[in-house]
Amino acid sequence: MTDASFPPFDFEAGEVLLLDKPLTWTSFDVVRKVKNTLRIKKIGHAGTLDPLATGLLILCTGKKTKEIDSIQAQEKEYTGTFRLGQTTPSFDLETPVDAELPFEHLDEAAIRAATASFTGLIEQTPPLFSAVKVNGERAYEVARRGEEAVIKSKQVTIKAFEITRLELPEVDFRVVCSKGTYIRSLARDYGAALGCGAHLTKLVRTRIGEYQLAEALNMDQIEALRPPRPEGSPERPPRPQKQRRPERRAGLEYFNATNAAPELDGTSENVSE
């Protein structure tokens, strides 16, 4: 949403807010930033995004929080990029490359044809670096200790999987899928089907049901909606800024060491999903 003017919001009665999640922010980072900035009492998100994904994150406030489950159940649309010829333990850029395989022999026809086996109802195993519960704890906690865990596969539906750009080793894609689909797992399985491995290097959620990323607010626009302090209330002195430690937030040690991670503007300290 680029218009400088905003419709009136009634957060207590209930609103469905569309946000464009910044890179490296957890979904909880966004929830907390919006809650504190707009002084919302009751708020939650309708479907998480990985820290290294950007795009549409839906927040519900007030009485609209009752709609979270129904929004989460709607189909999702993503665009992004796979890098062929390399694999990583997390299936994305959170961890370093652990294997390299040749990809130069692949032609465009083979790359496009491989998508067919990943449409319709398929079996998919979530990544170990995910929020799936394993013996009572999140799988990513097990993974970040360097341990292994058995994660059960599940059925998901991929309605559409198309290649939108080929510039090897990069492959751009568009996917329309059901709730619970892991695009990182799709990267792993697609690379395995091609015989060269692959990992996810970019992911943008562009749609949830009828909600579109094009209608989403960015975090600067959320800041512009900050209400004035109540009349007569004393101004609080600015709090000293703590040094942000991204390596303790979402397990992004490798990514933050190899990339210029965007700052969170004091949104949170040491938050994990």
Side-chain angles (χ1 to χ4, degrees):
M1 184 179 294
T2 57
D3 193 337
S5 62
F6 303 102
F9 291 109
D10 188 338
F11 297 116
E12 186 171 347
E15 296 285 353
V16 176
L17 283 176
L18 310 186
L19 275 296
D20 186 356
K21 189 190 82 66
L23 184 69
T24 76
W25 290 40
T26 67
S27 300
F28 181 68
D29 286 333
V30 177
V31 170
R32 184 152 70 175
K33 176 67 172 180
V34 173
K35 180 177 182 178
N36 292 341
T37 299
L38 304 183
R39 301 174 194 160
I40 300 172
K41 294 181 180 178
K42 189 175 184 181
I43 186 171
H45 66 72
T48 188
L49 270 176
D50 286 340
L52 294 184
T54 63
L56 183 59
L57 182 69
I58 297 180
L59 274 56
C60 296
T61 77
K63 296 179 181 179
K64 289 288 186 178
T65 54
K66 296 178 181 178
E67 299 181 15
I68 284 178
D69 288 345
S70 64
I71 293 174
Q72 284 182 321
Q74 298 181 46
E75 73 176 18
K76 316 294 193 298
E77 180 182 76
Y78 298 90
T79 62
T81 304
F82 296 146
R83 202 289 186 186
L84 303 185
Q86 294 179 341
T87 63
T88 73
S90 59
F91 313 154
D92 66 0
L93 296 176
E94 183 178 326
T95 53
V97 171
D98 61 359
E100 297 199 42
L101 293 167
F103 61 85
E104 293 82 3
H105 62 285
L106 295 170
D107 59 21
E108 180 175 347
I111 292 171
R112 294 188 183 278
T115 63
S117 61
F118 297 100
T119 56
L121 187 65
I122 66 170
E123 288 282 332
Q124 186 183 78
T125 303
L128 182 57
F129 285 78
S130 69
V132 173
K133 286 287 188 73
V134 178
N135 296 325
E137 64 178 331
R138 299 295 185 185
Y140 62 74
E141 295 173 344
V142 177
R144 288 166 190 159
R145 292 198 302 267
E147 301 174 7
E148 295 292 329
V150 176
I151 299 179
K152 295 181 180 179
S153 64
K154 61 179 181 178
Q155 290 189 325
V156 298
T157 299
I158 297 183
K159 183 177 179 181
F161 179 16
E162 61 180 357
I163 303 304
T164 58
R165 179 184 70 97
L166 276 175
E167 193 171 330
L168 295 179
E170 291 188 343
V171 176
D172 286 359
F173 64 86
R174 171 182 168 270
V175 168
V176 178
C177 57
S178 65
K179 171 188 175 182
T181 303
Y182 281 89
I183 307 301
R184 285 182 290 136
S185 290
L186 181 61
R188 170 201 59 196
D189 297 341
Y190 180 65
L194 289 172
C196 64
H199 66 282
L200 183 67
T201 60
K202 181 181 180 181
L203 184 65
V204 181
R205 186 157 66 193
T206 55
R207 180 173 63 84
I208 300 176
E210 297 300 316
Y211 298 105
Q212 302 282 344
L213 174 59
E215 299 300 318
L217 300 171
N218 60 41
M219 300 313 293
D220 288 338
Q221 290 173 313
I222 288 294
E223 188 66 37
L225 293 173
R226 183 189 293 273
R229 295 191 61 79
E231 187 175 350
S233 62
E235 287 291 336
R236 291 183 298 181
R239 291 182 296 179
Q241 292 292 316
K242 296 180 180 179
Q243 184 179 3
R244 176 176 169 240
R245 297 186 228 176
E247 70 279 1
R248 295 180 58 190
R249 287 186 55 255
L252 300 180
E253 296 95 334
Y254 176 75
F255 181 83
N256 287 322
T258 54
N259 296 270
E263 290 297 326
L264 293 192
D265 299 324
T267 298
S268 64
E269 291 290 328
N270 307 332
V271 177
S272 296
E273 285 192 315

